[in-house]
Amino acid sequence: MKQKEKESYIQAMLYVAKIDGIKKEEELRVIRELAEKLNVENIEQKIPHLSNELFEGKELRDVLSHVHGRGNKLALIYQLVVLAYADGIYSPGENDALRRICAILHIEFEKLYEILELVEEYQQFEKHVTEVLEV
């Protein structure tokens, strides 16, 4: 994956994180974890810069134009859903943003809903594990 595509992932995540008005620490943690997985260097310096570009009006279509290949697009949608659930609430605004991103990336909404179900099931599984193991 090219550097520009990695930065597009991070910028898309920042876009979804700001939908509810505030970037919570849990959301920033998810963004940092993804940046680490993608080997994005200097992420602490890049987050403010990428966030400012969005604040200054960089179009979402421009951000997403660097994401290529169906697999990469679906992986981004998955990461965005994980991020949307990071604060424990999947808001209508986040849903609208994810639908918009799917439309731009030419990913069918049905796939978004499959990913949403997958993330919900995984969260329920993690919760159940915690209860069973009394952690």
Side-chain angles (χ1 to χ4, degrees), residues 4-119:
K4 202 68 172 157
E5 190 169 14
K6 293 175 185 180
E7 289 180 6
S8 292
Y9 265 55
I10 302 303
Q11 205 161 35
M13 293 189 75
L14 290 166
Y15 173 82
V16 170
K18 77 174 193 165
I19 290 297
D20 54 10
I22 35 176
K23 287 183 288 205
K24 296 174 182 71
E25 191 55 41
E26 188 63 22
E27 291 170 328
L28 288 173
R29 182 190 61 75
V30 171
I31 293 170
R32 285 184 190 106
E33 285 176 2
L34 176 63
E36 187 176 310
K37 286 179 191 173
L38 295 174
N39 295 317
V40 176
E41 296 177 7
N42 303 318
I43 190 60
E44 293 305 320
Q45 290 78 27
K46 287 185 180 179
I47 284 177
H49 170 72
L50 294 172
S51 189
N52 284 341
E53 282 186 356
L54 288 171
F55 181 73
E56 293 167 1
K58 185 173 183 181
E59 291 293 320
L60 184 58
R61 189 170 298 283
D62 293 335
V63 168
L64 298 172
S65 69
H66 301 286
V67 181
H68 302 288
R70 184 165 172 85
N72 287 343
K73 291 174 181 182
L74 290 172
L76 174 59
I77 298 298
Y78 172 78
Q79 290 297 330
L80 293 172
V81 170
V82 168
L83 175 70
Y85 274 98
D87 61 3
I89 301 167
Y90 182 69
S91 72
E94 289 167 326
N95 187 61
D96 292 345
L98 284 166
R99 286 177 57 91
R100 183 169 177 228
I101 290 168
C102 284
I104 292 169
L105 293 175
H106 304 287
I107 299 295
E108 55 280 1
F109 297 143
E110 292 78 21
K111 189 58 80 170
L112 169 62
Y113 298 123
E114 286 179 42
I115 293 170
L116 284 165
E117 286 179 18
L118 180 69
V119 171

Side-chain angles (χ1 to χ4, degrees), residues 123-135:
Q123 285 189 332
Q124 289 300 319
F125 173 77
E126 281 188 323
K127 183 179 175 183
H128 189 70
V129 167
T130 302
E131 290 170 359
V132 170
L133 298 179
E134 299 175 6
V135 180

